[in-house]
Every structure is written in C-alpha cells, then in structure tokens.
Amino acid sequence: MYVFKAAVLGAGTMGAEIAQVISLSGLPVVLKDVDEAQLERGMAHIRDIYARRAQRGRISEHDAEDRIALITPQVGFEGFSDVDLVIEAVPEKLSLKQAVLAEVEAQVSKTALLATNTSALPVTEVGAKLQKPQRLVGMHFFFPASVMKLVEVIAGSETDEEYVDSAVEFVESIRRIGVRVRECPGFLVNRILMAGLAEVFRAERDLGLQPREIDAAVAASRLAPMGPYALADALGLDIAEDVAQTLSAAYGERFDLGDRITRLLAEGKRGAKTGEGFYTYTG
Ligand SMILES: NC(=O)c1ccc[n+]([C@@H]2O[C@H](COP(=O)([O-])OP(=O)(O)OC[C@H]3O[C@@H](n4cnc5c(N)ncnc54)[C@H](O)[C@@H]3O)[C@@H](O)[C@H]2O)c1
C-alpha cells in the first residue's frame, strides 16, 4: 500500500514532530488536535525545526516553506476521507486512545492503515474498540522524532501481516529505520529505558545524589547525549509516569519509579512542555 496522504492525531510533543518528518518527505499531512492553542504551538515548533535545518544549509528557505505548506492543522475531520494512514499521538491513556481511534475509523476509507504511537500500551488493547482491528499497528517513534531514526513497528494479536508490511514500508519511505518488535508492555526500547530510570531514582535516594550531579556525570561519560532527569523532562513527566505505571503493573517492582515524578505532577510540573519539571525552562 502506498501512502499518498497521512494524518496525525495530537499536535503535542510527538505529533508535531511526526508531522514534520512526514512533510519533509514530501507527503501532505493533516495535523489534528482538539485544542487550537496546541495546534499553534505544534506548528510553531515545526517552523522552528525547519528554520534550524535552513540555517544549517540542509534545506533552502523556499523548500522549507513548501514543506510546511504540506501540513494542514485543524480541529475537525475535513479531508480524512482520502487519508491512507492515520498515526494517533494523543496522551497515553488506554480509554482515550480507544475512543479516538474508533472515532477516526468512521472518517477514513475501509483500507486506510491505522497506527498508534503508544509508548507502552498493548496494541491489541488499543485496537479493541475498532470495527477492523486487523488494520491497527503500533508505530512507535522516539523523541525527538525529527532527529531519531528508529521506529518500532508492532503487530497486535489481530493485526494482518499486510498492514505490518505497509507500516514498515511507510517508515522506510520517510527515511526512518523500522524494526519489528513483538507486542509486550514497553516493547523494546522503553522496557530498557524505564528500568534504567527506576535504577537512577533509587541511586539518587540511596546515595543522596542530586539530579544535576547525575545528569552531569551521564553527559560527561558520553554514553548518552543527556542525563536521565533532563531526558524525562524532555519526554514529558506525565507520559513518563503513565509508561512507568504500565510497566510496573506488568513486570513489578524493578519498574517502580516511586513518587519522584508523582510529586512534581501534583504541582503541575509536566517537564519542558510546561516550563517546569526537574529543571526550570525559560524561552
Ligand atoms: N513524549 C515522548 O517522548 C513520547 C515518545 C514516544 C511516544 N510517545 C507517545 O506518544 C503519545 C503522545 O505523547 P506526547 O508526549 O506527544 O503527549 P502530549 O501531551 O505532548 O500531546 C498530546 C496531544 O494530544 C491532544 N489530544 C488530546 N485528545 C485528543 C483528541 N481526541 N484528538 C486529537 N488530539 C487530542 C492534546 O491536546 C495534546 O496536544 C503518547 O501515547 C506517548 O506515550 C511519547
């Protein structure tokens, strides 16, 4: 199946980045959110990504404008009837994802491929309310999707193999590396990442270390481009908490993040996207 036109649901941390990646490969993409302000933030973020590429000489300003024009931000379902692929990137809540996908299924053609960007929820459960769950795949991009090449592609227990093949072909067509991953909580990357995060939080508590010290040590080691606290802020603390809950329910204590993030969330601190998390962000 060839994708001539795509749609992304959710213009947040991931949705905006995914729409940018799709537009860069020359495909029209509808970017739908329920929140006008979020659409504006998402489009501003996309323009920033293109501006940086233009500054580095990786795209001309003229071509950047053309690519941005391929993205249609909207709150409604206009133009969904000829969309070949929908990627859902709404918050990591099972019931919300089920409802959003069931709603969009009624708007697209019978053959359109549906994908969820869930970080950790079972694809089979995400697709449980669909008329045709055979067409749902997990298509898990990583933050920031405009930079990260890897995309996990996951089949649920109902997914038809031809849709999985189409998903991998699509991922490759937008210059990403698709890896087929077996369905399990957290898939491959988040299973490793969240176990590591839980260890770091334990070390902070048991050894009396400060987040800033740990981040500085990790960055200096060059094992990763940023430390675990800065990363959690960048991913979004609400998302990290939801993913950790899914994993600790599935695998037990080794994925338990304690109340480190819960306390920040109770103060309304959701990381870089709200200006405060482990760190404070200005500008
Ligand atoms: N943040 C990350 O680093 C990361 C990485 C990989 C995957 N994910 C996954 O991607 C998904 C989205 O995460 P995020 O960090 O972008 O969340 P986010 O909170 O930044 O953005 C979610 C967006 O969805 C919108 N939304 C809510 N209900 C909607 C609806 N019914 N229709 C359309 N839009 C709706 C919200 O207004 C918001 O703009 C989650 O499943 C998350 O687990 C996140």
Side-chain angles (χ1 to χ4, degrees):
M1 187 190 86
Y2 191 81
V3 176
F4 291 96
K5 180 178 172 186
V8 177
L9 305 177
T13 310
M14 289 306 290
E17 291 260 340
I18 294 169
Q20 187 274 332
V21 173
I22 296 172
S23 69
L24 183 62
S25 68
L27 279 182
V29 53
V30 177
L31 180 59
K32 175 176 160 31
D33 203 291
V34 285
D35 180 351
E36 287 276 7
Q38 194 64 39
L39 278 172
E40 277 169 32
R41 275 195 290 274
M43 287 306 294
H45 181 66
I46 290 167
R47 278 190 283 274
D48 279 351
I49 298 173
Y50 275 113
R52 281 199 301 274
R53 285 185 77 87
Q55 274 163 14
R56 288 194 209 113
R58 299 185 68 190
I59 192 167
S60 71
E61 284 184 14
H62 178 268
D63 285 352
E65 282 307 319
D66 281 354
R67 298 298 201 285
I68 293 167
L70 288 169
I71 306 171
T72 309
Q74 61 187 50
V75 291
F77 278 112
E78 308 83 79
F80 270 67
S81 57
D82 62 345
V83 154
D84 305 298
L85 163 68
V86 180
I87 303 173
E88 166 278 306
V90 304
E92 185 77 353
K93 303 283 182 216
L94 180 61
S95 57
L96 175 66
K97 286 184 184 292
Q98 287 175 333
V100 163
L101 282 165
E103 187 184 27
V104 81
E105 188 178 34
Q107 303 290 333
V108 294
S109 76
K110 288 199 165 45
T111 53
L113 170 63
L114 303 180
T116 173
N117 188 48
T118 180
S119 299
L121 296 167
V123 174
T124 307
E125 285 181 35
V126 173
K129 300 272 158 65
L130 290 174
Q131 303 276 340
K132 191 178 163 189
Q134 297 86 333
R135 57 160 138 182
L136 179 73
V137 296
M139 192 182 280
H140 184 212
F141 291 80
F142 294 89
F143 179 80
S146 56
V147 177
M148 303 296 274
K149 292 285 179 201
L150 191 73
V151 178
E152 292 174 331
V153 176
I154 307 110
S157 57
E158 302 287 324
T159 313
D160 272 354
E161 199 52 37
E162 65 175 295
Y163 284 107
V164 185
D165 291 343
S166 295
V168 173
E169 277 164 29
F170 169 76
V171 164
E172 288 169 356
S173 77
I174 58 168
R175 301 189 186 90
R176 291 294 176 272
I177 299 163
V179 284
R180 292 171 192 243
V181 178
R182 209 174 54 148
E183 183 180 42
C184 66
F187 313 124
L188 175 64
V189 174
N190 275 330
R191 203 162 152 176
I192 297 168
L193 177 69
M194 297 312 278
L197 203 55
E199 280 303 322
V200 169
F201 286 2
R202 257 177 239 131
E204 178 198 339
R205 188 191 58 212
D206 297 348
L207 304 176
L209 295 168
Q210 292 300 315
R212 212 169 274 279
E213 291 175 85
I214 296 176
D215 274 359
V218 172
S221 75
R222 297 180 177 230
L223 288 170
M226 63 171 83
Y229 296 88
L231 178 65
D233 269 0
L235 301 181
L237 298 183
D238 50 339
I239 297 288
E241 175 98 326
D242 288 337
V243 172
Q245 277 172 7
T246 302
L247 292 179
S248 61
Y251 304 120
E253 201 196 338
R254 67 203 158 106
F255 286 90
D256 184 4
L257 297 189
D259 66 353
R260 193 70 181 85
I261 290 181
T262 321
R263 282 186 278 130
L264 291 170
L265 290 174
E267 294 169 34
K269 298 175 180 174
R270 294 195 288 136
K273 63 186 165 188
T274 54
E276 262 191 298
F278 289 106
Y279 299 98
T280 300
Y281 301 82
T282 49

